[in-house]
Amino acid sequence: MSVLFVLLFSFAVAEARGPGLPNVMVLATGGTIAGTGSSSTTVVGYTAATVGIETLLNAVPELKTVANVKGEQVFQIASENMNNDYWLKLAKRVNALLAQDDVDGIVITHGTDTIEETSYFLDLVVKSKKPVVIVGAMRPSTAISADGPINLYNAVILAGSDEAIGKGVLVALNDQINAARDVTKNNTSTADTFRTPELGFLGYMQGNKPYFYRQSTRRHTADSEFDVSNLDALPQVDIVYGYANMNRVAIDAFVAAGAKGIVHAGVGDGSLARPAVEPALDEARKKGVVIVRSSRVGNGIVARNGEAKDDEHDFVVSDTLNPQKARILLMLALTKTTDTKEIQRMFYTY
């Protein structure tokens, strides 16, 4: 996708909006941003997903000054309970809304535990260049210094901005803008938990305006080959974690349970324990299970034919995707093909 095309598309969308405020739809799914605690100092042990969308929006009256905002409660869950069915429902609703001329951008409020997974899933299946921004909070709405309101305010500005057009799905908290593909939760409890290790933020929110300094070079959203419009389910893909003294029990169990793919979160450069693990993965592959080598490290490229002879084993490597995101790409890849060479191409493309 050329830079010129993005600029022309951005200009066209801006012209279509006219001189008024952008129209931003806020889809609520629950999470800490919609959570409540027993007191104003409760920031641990609170209850997530208790506050509805209208209450969230009414708590930030300043939203009316930056966008024409409407809200919709898609579902109400703590994000550790996120599953494939919720993803499919959310993706289809996002695509339906973005196809409307009266929607310029979408904000999704979400729990932080799986925000990186939902954002990457949407990055692969949203069929529009209009902005989609996922936002959450690390403190419940009842806390003294709740971060939800300012995060939501910034997210609406970002979703309504020309600058965010064509940038893919964005994750915006703590005045920082991250790309869905690369962001990960980095701390269990601090407000600056979302980071893009090594590659860095896309930009910042400052003074009611987004500032971008880089963008992802990987294919996403409108340029993606994946389509979930006619899908009612996704293939079963599971993750096996590597560790010292690892055995094959988990691999065999997932295969017996019907896994179509397994992501191995190996040590180091995706290394496989021998003789415990490598033979089990080989046997799984011979049964048709697609194997992806990833790493538990969290940074860097998993090298093909590096710590394993991937060509001989007919394995796929995850490139820089962490295990949880490799699982998402593998699920979507398996909706199109079981050819490992083609799946490897996808991992180097997305």
Side-chain angles (χ1 to χ4, degrees):
M1 178 178 62
S2 69
V3 173
L4 178 59
F5 180 82
V6 172
L7 291 174
L8 290 173
F9 185 88
S10 301
F11 179 77
V13 172
E15 286 291 296
R17 288 176 181 167
L21 294 175
N23 300 315
V24 175
M25 191 74 181
V26 180
L27 301 181
T29 70
T32 296
I33 194 170
T36 53
S38 58
S39 74
S40 62
T41 58
T42 299
V43 293
V44 175
Y46 54 84
T47 303
T50 60
V51 178
I53 180 60
E54 292 304 321
T55 302
L56 284 180
L57 296 180
N58 290 336
V60 192
E62 295 83 0
L63 292 175
K64 298 176 183 177
T65 68
V66 295
N68 300 314
V69 177
K70 294 182 179 179
E72 180 179 317
Q73 193 79 46
V74 185
F75 40 82
Q76 182 78 297
I77 62 169
S79 72
E80 63 266 27
N81 298 322
M82 185 60 67
N83 60 34
N84 295 351
D85 293 337
Y86 286 128
W87 277 342
L88 289 171
K89 180 178 180 179
L90 181 60
K92 291 173 183 179
R93 186 59 183 144
V94 168
N95 279 326
L97 288 168
L98 292 177
Q100 298 177 192
D101 292 337
D102 61 349
V103 175
D104 297 315
I106 287 179
V107 170
I108 300 169
T109 62
H110 197 287
T112 59
D113 284 355
T114 56
I115 211 171
E116 64 187 271
E117 292 167 79
T118 298
S119 62
Y120 186 52
F121 178 76
L122 293 176
D123 199 51
L124 295 172
V125 301
V126 164
K127 295 300 181 184
S128 175
K129 295 183 185 297
K130 294 178 183 178
V132 176
V133 181
I134 303 192
V135 66
M138 291 302 292
R139 303 182 187 113
S141 63
T142 49
I144 290 174
S145 55
D147 52 333
I150 186 61
N151 287 345
L152 179 58
Y153 177 72
N154 280 335
V156 168
I157 293 173
L158 183 59
S161 72
D162 296 336
E163 291 88 345
I165 295 170
K167 296 292 199 303
V169 174
L170 304 172
V171 175
L173 294 88
N174 201 44
D175 300 334
Q176 298 154 341
I177 307 169
N178 283 282
R181 182 191 185 276
D182 306 316
V183 70
T184 190
K185 191 171 185 178
N186 193 61
N187 188 287
T188 59
S189 57
T190 60
D192 63 346
T193 181
F194 284 98
R195 301 275 175 167
T196 298
E198 296 184 337
L199 299 177
F201 304 122
L202 295 186
Y204 299 95
M205 296 297 299
Q206 187 180 77
N208 299 334
K209 183 177 175 59
Y211 292 87
F212 283 90
Y213 296 91
R214 73 172 187 92
Q215 63 184 20
S216 177
T217 61
R218 295 304 179 98
R219 283 174 61 182
H220 55 70
T221 53
D223 296 317
S224 171
E225 64 200 88
F226 303 112
D227 185 1
V228 297
S229 59
N230 294 317
L231 292 180
D232 295 320
L234 293 168
Q236 179 185 335
V237 175
D238 296 294
I239 300 172
V240 174
Y241 198 84
Y243 50 92
N245 200 45
M246 185 181 178
N247 58 54
R248 61 179 292 162
V249 173
I251 297 168
D252 293 338
F254 283 136
V255 173
K260 304 301 181 186
I262 289 176
V263 176
H264 180 263
V267 296
D269 189 11
S271 301
L272 306 176
R274 303 179 185 89
V277 171
E278 190 176 80
L281 292 175
D282 277 331
E283 291 173 28
R285 181 70 198 105
K286 289 175 182 176
K287 294 178 181 178
V289 180
V290 175
I291 307 300
V292 172
R293 280 199 312 114
S294 184
S295 174
R296 72 180 196 181
V297 171
N299 289 303
I301 299 170
V302 176
R304 185 167 182 85
N305 297 313
E307 291 299 319
K309 296 178 180 179
D310 297 300
D311 290 344
E312 292 184 15
H313 294 293
D314 197 26
F315 293 165
V316 174
V317 293
S318 68
D319 190 40
T320 60
L321 288 177
N322 63 26
Q324 54 268 38
K325 292 186 180 182
R327 172 184 170 269
I328 291 167
L329 181 52
L330 181 55
M331 280 195 303
L332 290 170
L334 288 170
T335 66
K336 298 181 69 66
T337 184
T338 57
D339 183 337
T340 54
K341 291 183 175 60
E342 181 66 0
I343 293 173
Q344 185 66 78
R345 175 195 65 79
M346 294 173 182
F347 271 84
Y348 286 143
T349 301
Y350 297 95

